Each structure stands twice: as C-alpha cells, then as structure tokens.
Amino acid sequence: MAVNEKTNKIYVANSGDSSITVIDGSTNSTTAVSAGARPFALAVNAVTNKTYVTNNDGNSVTVIDGATNATVTVPVGTQPGDIAVNTKTNKVYVTHAGAGLVTVLDGLTHATTTVATGYMPTDVVVNDVTNKVYVTNHYSNSVTVIDGLSNGTVTVPTGEGPRDLAVNVVTNKVYVPNSYGGSLTVIEGASNTTSTISLPVPPWSLALNSTTNKIFAANYLDVGAIIDGTSHSVVEKSFGSSAMDMVVNESTNQLFAVNLPTNTVTVLDGVSNTTKTIPVGAGPIALALNKDTGIVYVANSESNSVSALHVEPGPGTEKNDFNGDGHSDVLARDSSGALWLYPGNGTGGWLARVQVGQGWNVMTSITGPGDFNGDGRSDVLARDASGTLWLYPGNGMGGWLARVQVGLGWNVMTSITGPGDFNGDGRSDVLARDTSGTLWLYPGNGMGGWLARVQVGQGWNVMTSITGPGDFNGDGRSDVLARDTSGTLWLYPGNGSGGWLARVQVGQGWNVMTSITGPGDFNGDGRSDVLARDNSGTLWLYPGNGSGGWLARVQAGQGWNIMTAVV
C-alpha cells in the first residue's frame, strides 16, 4: 500500500487480478485501476500526484495519474521489486533482484537508466535531504549507496542477509537489519562508516521514529527490540505475533505492527512502551500511514479488505499511569481510609506521595483496569460494601472525574482484577471470581460499560491472590498471575482472544506475601513487573524479564503493612 497525504488517497496493490484499488480516505469509496501482471510494490510522489507500481511479472512500472487515474506503462526490465521515490528530484528507483540492478526512472520524461548493485537487491530507500539512495543486497551482505546526482555507487559491507532498511533523515543514519545475523548495521550517511548493534534475535522488519530517535526491530519469532539511536542500548520487546510489517506515527509516538497469525495489529505507546492489540481482517500483511489524518491502513490479504485504524495515543490498557507522566504508579489505602497515590519515577523508585481520596475504607475491592472509559487515562474500579461497583475515571493528573456506577450485586465476587485488554479488542477488561470459584471475563466496551460476560475458568477458589500484570511473557497479550493455597505462583498466559495458554509455575513460597499487584512496567525497562508486600511490611519489586520470568528482586519500601489495599 501507499498513501498520498495531499489528496487523501490510498493505493492498494491486488496481485491476484493485476489491479490497483484507490480508496478515497474521506468517503472510503473505491476505484479500480488496471496495472501490469502481479503488481508488487507502490510509491507515491505527492508533489506531482503520481503513483508508481512495480509489476513483478510484467517487467514494467505502471504510472497512475492521481487526478484522472489514467495510467502509463513504462518497461523497466526483469522482475521489478521494491520501489522508492525522491520527491525533490522526481526520480524513481526500482530494484531487480535477479539482475543485480536498480532502474532509475525520470518522473517527468519516463526515461530510464540502470545502476549496478550487489547480488539480489531487495529493498530501496531514499534520503531526500542528502539525495542518496540505499539498496540492500540480500545475498552479498552489503548495501549499495547511490549518489542521486551522478548515479555513482559505493558498496558498504553489512551483516548477513540485509533487508528492510530505514533512514533517519534527521541524524543522517541508515539502519540495516541483518536477517541471518542477529544484528543491526548502522551506516553513517556522511562517511559510509559502519557500526554493529547486537539484537536478541535475527531482525526481519524495521521501523524508526526520527523524532525520538528510537528504532524498532521485529521478526517472525514474536520477539522484537527497541533500540536507542543515540546510545545503541537495546530493550527486548514483543510487538505481537510475527510482526512482519511495522509503521510509526511520529506525531502520536505510536508504533503499529501487523500480527498475521492472530489477525490483529499491535499498537505500542512510545512513552510507556505498553501495547494494545486491535483486531483487523484476516491475514493482515501490510501497513500504510496517512500522516495528516493519523489513520493507519491495514491490508488484509486473506479477506480482500483494508482496515482503517485511528487509535488515540496514551498508555496501554495494562498500565497504571494515574498522573499522566508515562510512568507506572501505585495507589494504596491506609487503615484510616485515606487513598494515596505513589507516583513511580520510571526507574523502580518513587516520587513524593499525594493523597487522592478519603473514606475509601467503605470499599471492599479496588482495582486498576487501565483506561476503562476510552479517554486515554488510567481509571479505577471500586466495589463498596453494598456490592455496587463504581468507576472512578482518572483525570490524567493524579485525580478523579465524577464517579459513575457501573454495576450492582458485585458482592458475590471474591476477587476482582483488571488484566488490561484480555480479549484483544483494544479495550480494557475485568476478570472476577465468584463464590463458587468460577472465573468470569467482563469485557469492557471501551466507553465505561460492559459487553456480555463470558466464563473463562472454574476451580479458581484455590487461588488466594489473582492479579493482572499486563503482558508478562512478552507475547503482546495480557496475562494473569495467581497464587494458590500452597504459595505456588502461576502464570496464566492470555491467548489474546479471551482465553488461556498452558499455565506455567513462576514462583514458590509466595504465601509470605500479604499483597501482590501488577502495576505495569515499574522500572522503565519495557517489561511488566510485580510489587509484593511481605508479612513484615516490606514492599518488594519483582522485575519481569519480559519472557515470563524474573530478574533479581529489589526492596521498594518499608512500613507498607499499614496499607489495607495496594493497587
């Protein structure tokens, strides 16, 4: 897909019937435009209002006039693949993997010339600031740098299997995933010198945010990484299942990643590093962003459809950021009924606590579900002694909007927890256990109410503590931690659609803990953590390792035995 932001038109290649679908972004009406055999890749020149399509089996490029949808076919050589446009010079660059060439197409005259590259050139990107073009040579482990003025070339060695590169035009650096080598090659645009960043797994797809100077790498193993472009530090992070295409909305600081096996898109909040999962059509395979409208378009290859996503920025649904600073916080009620906000400092410690309520000793349950009413701020659900359930909407500054009654008869529930988005629809949900031990999913409707509840478990009355830490095992789905009567701690991984994967034992001896809560990512490393208070009143931070286990615990407080609830 490709987007023309100036005309608000979206262009989708249909390889099965040799056509391009043009979507009007204002009305969602569509127009079919004929292309060559097996249209493969698209690029838009918004300045000239022309769209260019490589026809992989047609050995040509189709040029679409954005005003009239009239087309011109330009022969370019054998099996054209990827394509990129320099809007400043009106030059179009087309890779030919089998021939070891790039075709340079003049956007005005349609004249062509060829430039030799390495073996199997696959991906091409343009830095229109420096007028340099970068081409990955997948089987010769190099990048060809083309001077846009002279068509002269320089060959830069990379790691094994370079592909899907990205350019930061602000820093003039090029990032090249080495898909067979488990690393990222960084090319300095001014000198063509390189450095290497080791990654947890071989990267297959890449996206970057030039505003924050963050790079995102992912692969088919459901494992990814966030790389700091300045320090080159790496934080392991899942962007969902097989994130084979990603796009960044820099204005909202959000990353979108397709999850082909689960028919979803993962949305990563760039401030908190927390994720939401949005269901889309079958077989999502490609993304395109309209920077002006903020809408992300998803090509669903198995349902012949396109999904349009507009996700409001804000913390992920599994994260308790009550004061809006991007860090996980804790709410605690003392024995007098006063409710205190303990703001996290983002590195595993605290800022000065603030009293945010009185009279909360009438509440028999308090939980933080994340953003329950869809306004981008973390909220609280609290049940009073009569069984009435109240929503306390957070104002994003450590306080509350007017409370709203959202349920009656909740005194039959012996445990209430907010796991975040448990069923994968992008909205915060609640899990509640009744007196018989049945566990119920109460799906949130994203507006402070409910969809129909669903039974998701039985025999949960053997559990003495149930908490939702968010995505604890790094697969992009919300999970649950539960302690049984013997003190064993179990991880119940969510499957992203309201059910479970096989449970895993993650601790023993947890019966010494009088409170267990999952505040989200409390130490700022991009992984969900747990806070637990022992019977002496000491509060411990158990940092998650991002894959369902723990790093070394750290003492986070003393004297917490005066608290009758910790959220």
Side-chain angles (χ1 to χ4, degrees), residues 10-310:
I10 303 93
Y11 297 84
V12 186
N14 306 305
S15 62
D17 62 4
S18 300
S19 70
I20 303 298
T21 297
V22 184
I23 303 173
D24 186 301
S26 300
T27 65
N28 288 336
S29 60
T30 61
T31 302
V33 177
S34 295
R38 201 161 73 92
F40 182 74
L42 305 97
V44 167
N45 187 333
V47 176
T48 62
N49 196 12
K50 298 288 179 67
T51 298
Y52 299 88
V53 186
T54 58
N55 303 305
N56 195 251
D57 288 347
N59 301 334
S60 63
V61 167
T62 297
V63 185
I64 304 173
D65 185 295
T68 64
N69 286 333
T71 62
V72 174
T73 300
V74 181
V76 293
T78 305
Q79 290 187 316
D82 198 19
I83 189 168
V85 173
N86 187 329
T87 59
K88 293 182 178 179
T89 63
N90 198 15
K91 295 289 179 68
V92 185
Y93 298 87
V94 181
T95 64
H96 302 272
L101 297 171
V102 164
T103 293
V104 184
L105 169 66
D106 187 294
L108 179 62
T109 66
H110 295 168
T112 62
T113 186
T114 58
V115 177
T117 64
Y119 184 31
M120 197 176 180
T122 53
D123 300 282
V124 56
V125 296
V126 169
N127 185 336
D128 59 7
V129 175
T130 62
N131 197 12
K132 296 289 179 66
V133 183
Y134 297 88
V135 183
T136 56
N137 303 307
H138 191 64
Y139 284 161
S140 58
N141 302 332
S142 64
V143 164
T144 297
V145 185
I146 304 173
D147 185 294
L149 183 62
S150 66
N151 285 339
T153 63
V154 173
T155 300
V156 179
T158 64
E160 294 184 78
R163 55 175 294 155
D164 199 28
L165 74 174
V167 172
N168 188 331
V169 298
V170 176
T171 62
N172 194 17
K173 291 186 179 180
V174 184
Y175 298 91
V176 187
N178 301 308
S179 59
Y180 302 147
S183 65
L184 198 68
T185 296
V186 184
I187 303 174
E188 296 286 344
S191 62
N192 289 330
T193 57
T194 63
S195 57
T196 302
I197 302 173
S198 295
L199 298 180
V201 291
W204 280 63
S205 60
L206 199 71
L208 65 82
N209 187 329
S210 61
T211 302
T212 63
N213 200 17
K214 294 291 179 66
I215 304 99
F216 307 91
N219 81 345
Y220 59 92
L221 297 174
D222 303 350
V223 180
I226 303 173
I227 303 104
D228 187 293
T230 303
S231 66
H232 291 182
S233 62
V234 176
V235 174
E236 188 173 315
K237 180 71 176 179
S238 171
F239 308 129
S241 178
S242 296
M244 300 303 288
D245 192 27
M246 301 187 292
V247 68
V248 169
N249 185 339
E250 295 193 2
S251 64
T252 62
N253 197 5
Q254 292 172 305
L255 171 77
F256 294 78
V258 295
N259 307 144
L260 182 64
T262 58
N263 299 329
T264 59
V265 168
T266 294
V267 185
L268 173 78
D269 179 78
V271 175
S272 62
N273 285 343
T274 56
T275 57
K276 305 175 185 180
T277 304
I278 311 297
V280 292
I285 196 169
L287 298 165
L289 167 69
N290 186 325
K291 296 177 183 177
D292 288 347
T293 64
I295 295 176
V296 173
Y297 295 91
V298 188
N300 305 308
S301 62
E302 295 173 16
S303 58
N304 298 331
S305 65
V306 170
S307 300
L309 306 181
H310 192 288

Side-chain angles (χ1 to χ4, degrees), residues 315-322 367-373 377-380 391 394 418-420 428-429:
T317 54
E318 72 274 22
K319 186 177 187 301
N320 288 343
D321 174 22
F322 294 106
T367 189
D371 174 21
F372 190 69
N373 62 359
R377 304 156 182 160
S378 291
D379 308 318
V380 162
L391 168 64
S428 290
D429 308 318

Side-chain angles (χ1 to χ4, degrees), residues 483 487-489 506-514 516 530 532 542 550:
R483 178 189 63 194
T488 301
L489 191 67
V506 292
Q508 289 181 321
W510 280 68
N511 45 8
V512 301
M513 299 299 174
T514 57
I516 304 171
V530 165
Y542 285 82
W550 310 100

Side-chain angles (χ1 to χ4, degrees), residues 357-379:
Q358 290 181 321
W360 280 67
N361 44 11
V362 302
M363 300 299 176
T364 56
S365 177
I366 306 171
T367 189
D371 174 21
F372 190 69
N373 62 359
D375 65 356
R377 304 156 182 160
S378 291
D379 308 318

